[in-house]
Amino acid sequence: MNEALPDVPEVRVVGLPQLTSGFDLVERLDLPMHLKVHGPLEPMGGEQLAQLSERISLKGRGGAGFPFHKKLRSVAESAIRRGVRPVVVVNASEDEPACRKDTVLVNRAPHLILDGALLCAEAMGARTLVIGVTRESTQRSMEAALAERGLNNGRRSALRARVQRNPIRMVTGAAASLIRSIDGGPAIPPGRKVSASQTGVGGAPTLLSNAETYAQLAIAARIGAERYCNTGLYDEPGTVMLTVSGAVARPMVIEVPTGVPLRYVLQLAGAPPVPQGVLTGGYHGKWIDSATVNEAIVSRNSLDAVGGALGAGAILPISQDTCPLGESLRVAQWLAEESAGQCGPCYLGLPAAARGMEDILNGGGPAALEAVKQVAKSVKRRGACSHPDGSAMFLESTLKAFTDDLAAHVLGNGCGRPVEGVLPLFEGGQTPTGLPGGQTDEENGPSRQKIFVDWTLCRGHGLCADILPEVFELGADGFPTVAQAKVPRYAEAKALRAVRRCPALALRIEEDTRTSAPDRLPVLSQRGGRGRRALGSGR
């Protein structure tokens, strides 16, 4: 079993360090050491910053890869047109179990991130800066960095700066989720999609970008576009921060120039010489096979061309000794659990897709395979955020990359290999305790209630799944798929509402005095009572 990655794993560099400069000297660059290593930074005008970003082809390093100069100009133009001051937000919410590059930067080089953010704030006349984090270590480091610069959230401050701490959940990393939480709401995306550049924090135009993006801007502002472009590829200059884990001897975060062969990066981390496959871009990414690995170089365009993805910068090889479908099932189950529970195609579709993957492993045959394909297709572009799209892309990539194993499971008796659990998940494979909306520790505590379905009364109205998606899903026949289940502490009020509003009065709640019961109790399978525990899933 692969253990969960630490917040700050081993850090390596290929070539001359840029973002990781000074890491060989100290564990964390405080402000005096930061200035000693990187030197002072002169302010720049807004158009200067936009031109610099354009010349170095700076794109967002959080996964989407949107050109930074377009975002910068859009925010500035919107602020001028409306006559309001914009807001600058740093998204350092790194909530994927396989990603640590932003966490490393916040913990070890927080002032480099602040340099880039403050450049933008001063250039655009922003008076508010917010840094979004989800980990205790990143919160401590960034709050210390703000204090070292004399920045605070006081009303009389020329620039009000603060750290926004959200729960560790996949959906809290979405831009809309972070903005909503900054405004005092839950850290989940709103139902209506809006552009942060036009209407963000407090309704003001908001420049929101990934932590590494701001750090890269700070490097370029210091050394200039020409020198910055001397490193890496001509069309994607500079360096990239990667998190390499999975079936490797040394999980690490590594800074590499673009253009470095992917196989060299894998060798540095001690990956198998001939991996069965490599997941690129993290759990919203794509698989590439061992032959393709030898063709790929570290760049967004190269990985896209060979069917992979740079995404959030996570690279995860697996060996020939594990079942790739079983490994992917563990991730699919985690992705399903990470739904915000508010968009039907996501909170119903992703668990259905995970169950379909499990059916394939359990000998479900061609029907199970077709069901997974249909579910993955149906969830796309139907959510308030990119979580269902990224999850569907991962599932489709899994089915495409491992055709031989798929055939062995669908048409035969399986591949015969165990599931080693090499793809890191939180706490040995379990979802972290953080819940959407920034709940308190009391709300995150053990469940106190169980909800029961009286099948003699239930008529399949489905209202329970609408009110309480954390507990209820509807089967193919339109009835709930659980007979009884523990109610999460944060959802107890919704459970009571579901009981009161059930048209058939088929629900009841009882106090749960047991503390060791599983999260979901007997599943009523449409195929004769097979439980949801996956083969070799370690769950």
Side-chain angles (χ1 to χ4, degrees):
M1 272 293 183
N2 197 318
E3 297 296 329
L5 291 174
D7 281 8
V8 183
E10 177 185 354
V11 179
R12 297 283 298 275
V13 61
V14 174
L16 295 177
Q18 291 188 356
L19 301 177
T20 58
S21 293
F23 281 23
D24 58 332
L25 302 175
V26 291
E27 285 298 309
R28 178 184 179 276
L29 280 73
D30 59 12
L31 185 57
M33 180 59 74
H34 168 74
L35 293 174
K36 184 175 181 179
V37 169
H38 292 284
L41 182 59
E42 296 298 322
M44 300 176 68
E47 184 56 29
Q48 276 184 292
L49 275 179
Q51 291 178 4
L52 173 66
S53 303
E54 189 170 9
R55 287 186 63 190
I56 66 173
S57 300
L58 181 60
K59 294 183 178 180
R61 301 300 177 91
F66 191 80
F68 188 77
H69 69 93
K70 292 184 178 181
K71 187 181 293 186
L72 189 63
R73 288 192 173 110
S74 177
V75 172
E77 290 167 2
S78 179
I80 292 171
R81 183 176 64 253
R82 294 173 53 189
V84 298
R85 291 190 181 274
V87 175
V88 175
V89 175
V90 178
N91 191 351
S93 307
E94 197 168 40
D95 306 316
E96 203 171 312
C99 296
R100 290 296 184 276
K101 53 105 174 173
D102 290 326
T103 302
V104 164
L105 284 175
V106 175
N107 275 287
R108 301 198 61 181
H111 289 285
L112 201 58
I113 299 167
L114 287 178
D115 278 346
L118 292 171
L119 271 177
C120 295
E122 185 168 355
M124 296 189 300
R127 291 294 179 263
T128 303
L129 168 64
V130 183
I131 302 96
V133 301
T134 53
R135 302 173 186 275
E136 183 180 353
S137 64
T138 49
Q139 180 181 6
R140 286 199 309 266
S141 180
M142 191 54 75
E143 286 179 344
L146 292 177
E148 288 163 7
R149 289 178 180 251
L151 296 172
N152 58 61
N153 196 34
R155 291 186 177 182
R156 297 183 180 181
S157 301
L159 175 69
R160 298 184 65 175
R162 67 181 179 90
V163 175
Q164 171 72 25
R165 171 86 179 272
N166 287 329
I168 300 180
R169 289 297 299 270
M170 189 77 162
V171 293
T172 63
S177 300
L178 179 53
I179 289 173
R180 193 177 182 186
S181 71
I182 293 170
D183 282 338
I188 55 177
R192 184 170 60 93
K193 293 185 178 181
V194 295
S195 169
S197 300
Q198 305 302 313
T199 306
V201 175
T206 299
L207 179 68
L208 187 150
S209 202
N210 168 263
E212 184 192 341
T213 313
Y214 286 110
Q216 293 282 2
L217 180 65
I219 293 291
R222 277 186 169 88
I223 67 178
E226 183 175 355
R227 183 177 164 193
Y228 185 94
C229 292
N230 286 338
T231 300
L233 301 170
Y234 76 94
D235 58 340
E236 293 184 52
T239 64
V240 174
M241 295 285 283
L242 302 173
T243 311
V244 188
S245 62
V248 297
R250 299 178 302 279
M252 64 177 59
V253 168
I254 181 169
E255 182 183 14
V256 300
T258 55
V260 168
L262 180 59
R263 65 177 180 275
Y264 179 67
V265 173
L266 294 173
Q267 288 171 2
L268 285 177
V274 184
Q276 182 175 190
V278 178
L279 181 58
T280 59
Y283 295 160
H284 277 177
K286 297 179 180 180
W287 290 97
I288 58 176
D289 59 30
S290 57
T292 306
V293 169
N294 294 325
E295 304 172 14
I297 62 175
V298 177
S299 85
R300 189 176 301 276
N301 292 337
S302 170
L303 288 170
D304 286 345
V306 298
L310 181 60
I315 306 294
L316 300 107
I318 60 172
S319 72
Q320 301 283 349
D321 301 325
T322 188
C323 173
L325 299 183
E327 295 289 348
S328 296
L329 171 61
R330 295 177 66 248
V331 175
Q333 290 171 327
W334 179 79
L335 290 170
E337 292 169 351
E338 287 300 289
S339 169
Q342 59 181 357
C343 301
C346 181
Y347 75 72
L348 296 177
L350 296 186
R355 290 195 299 270
M357 287 286 291
E358 182 181 352
D359 286 345
I360 291 174
L361 286 169
N362 289 338
L369 173 59
E370 189 60 31
V372 173
K373 290 180 178 179
Q374 289 300 318
V375 170
K377 183 179 179 180
S378 68
V379 302
K380 291 180 180 176
R381 296 177 294 278
R382 298 178 67 193
C385 67
S386 62
H387 183 57
D389 298 329
S391 301
M393 182 169 68
F394 168 80
L395 289 166
E396 291 175 335
S397 175
T398 299
L399 300 180
K400 182 179 179 181
F402 303 109
T403 53
D404 290 345
D405 293 88
L406 195 60
H409 284 281
V410 171
L411 303 176
N413 296 320
C415 67
R417 287 172 290 184
V419 178
E420 297 180 339
V422 296
L423 301 181
L425 294 172
F426 287 115
E427 303 300 331
Q430 298 300 313
T431 304
T433 57
L435 294 165
Q439 287 82 359
T440 64
D441 291 339
E442 181 180 352
E443 290 171 311
N444 285 339
S447 172
R448 299 175 301 185
Q449 297 178 348
K450 283 202 298 187
I451 192 165
F452 295 81
V453 178
D454 185 334
W455 296 112
T456 64
L457 298 176
C458 181
R459 295 294 178 264
H461 293 97
L463 194 62
C464 56
D466 290 335
I467 298 175
L468 196 61
E470 297 89 341
V471 171
F472 290 113
E473 300 167 10
L474 299 183
D477 56 4
F479 285 82
T481 59
V482 293
Q484 51 184 308
K486 294 172 66 177
V487 178
R489 289 282 287 273
Y490 73 93
E492 288 178 351
K494 290 201 292 183
L496 183 60
R497 187 160 66 249
V499 170
R500 290 172 174 171
R501 294 185 61 183
C502 176
L505 303 178
L507 300 177
R508 77 177 191 276
I509 289 178
E510 293 181 3
E511 288 297 314
D512 184 13
T513 58
R514 296 168 56 189
T515 58
S516 58
D519 285 342
R520 291 202 176 192
L521 296 170
V523 173
L524 301 184
S525 172
Q526 303 298 322
R527 295 173 299 281
R530 187 167 60 227
R532 291 181 61 185
R533 184 176 176 90
L535 283 177
S537 68
R539 300 180 71 84

